[in-house]
Amino acid sequence: MRRAGSWPGLLEVQLTAVDSALEPVGTSSKRELPPSMVDRMTLILEAFDSRGALTLEEVTCRSGLPRSTVHRILDHLVRRDWIEHASFGYCLGPRALGLGGSDTGHRRIREAAAPHLHDLAMQTGAVVHLTVLEGNEVLYLDKVGGQLASSVPSRVGGRFPAYATAAGKSILAWLEPERIDALYGTQLVPCTERTVRDHVALHQELNRIRKRRGVAFEREEAARGIGCVGVALRGVDGPVAALSLAADARSTRLEWVAPIVADTARKITRTLFPEQDRDDNLQATEKVG
């Protein structure tokens, strides 16, 4: 018999043996695991494409792997910052999102927003996103939704031109015009025939957003058939993220759901910046007095 250290792929063989031992009698022979650890990790990471947070059971179902395998690999991925484990479930971590392992700011935003995203999705039946501005694109930190989620071309960790999305425009509206011009070239690359195509039109749109107190609309500018409402989450130093709601552009009156999105954005902002909210309340009290 060969020594254990001389077997190629010994880690995969040992993991498979452990998984089989932990499965109920009669099921291990019927379940064929992917041949490598990389394949299993890939299946688990791919399970997070359509939602921001998943339970262990949901990851198990989506990946098709044994529950014991999923739990153990998730534990390793959490320790390596590829996955995060919070009170609301498992979600992609900073390394998977391309944020770098030392960045904790986005984690704080996601944790503050998570319950409100789920409430908004349940209340409206639409798809809800949480995004941040990365360079000249929006980066999707979270996505929550029902049946429409698969038809909305966004994914956690994915990116999109900020000028083509309601979330992105809601953030851009609070930046200096010079900074916006520096973010983009002389011409904006359109995503659809409705996408804004030049700086003049973009600045006009951002001015309208400011007049609406930060509410941004997008109608089939990022994807055909999809309309969105976006509102930025703003601290004293400017916008830190944005909340958006995506729905069918032809059947949804975006103006009707905009107040709900704006109210949810205020709730998340109060969670993120409680001291800012207390300062605002104090100023309001002083004005009344």
Side-chain angles (χ1 to χ4, degrees), residues 147-160:
Q147 296 180 347
L148 185 63
S150 60
S151 64
V152 178
S154 60
R155 64 179 181 83
V156 175
R159 298 169 183 268
F160 225 81

Side-chain angles (χ1 to χ4, degrees), residues 129-141 154-155 157-172 184 222 241-242 244:
H129 295 112
L130 178 68
T131 61
V132 293
L133 186 67
E134 287 278 310
N136 58 12
E137 299 176 309
V138 288
L139 170 68
Y140 289 88
L141 298 185
S154 60
R155 64 179 181 83
R159 298 169 183 268
F160 225 81
Y163 57 80
T165 69
K169 290 189 293 185
S170 72
I171 295 176
L172 295 177
Y184 303 104
S244 68

Side-chain angles (χ1 to χ4, degrees), residues 50-71:
S50 62
R51 282 190 54 186
L54 298 173
T55 65
L56 174 60
E57 286 70 25
E58 288 173 323
V59 179
T60 299
C61 180
R62 289 173 180 233
S63 66
L65 297 172
R67 189 178 188 276
S68 57
T69 299
V70 173
H71 187 270

Side-chain angles (χ1 to χ4, degrees), residues 24-38:
V25 176
T27 61
S28 59
S29 60
K30 299 178 182 179
R31 188 190 299 271
E32 292 186 6
L33 292 176
S36 74
M37 187 67 166
V38 173

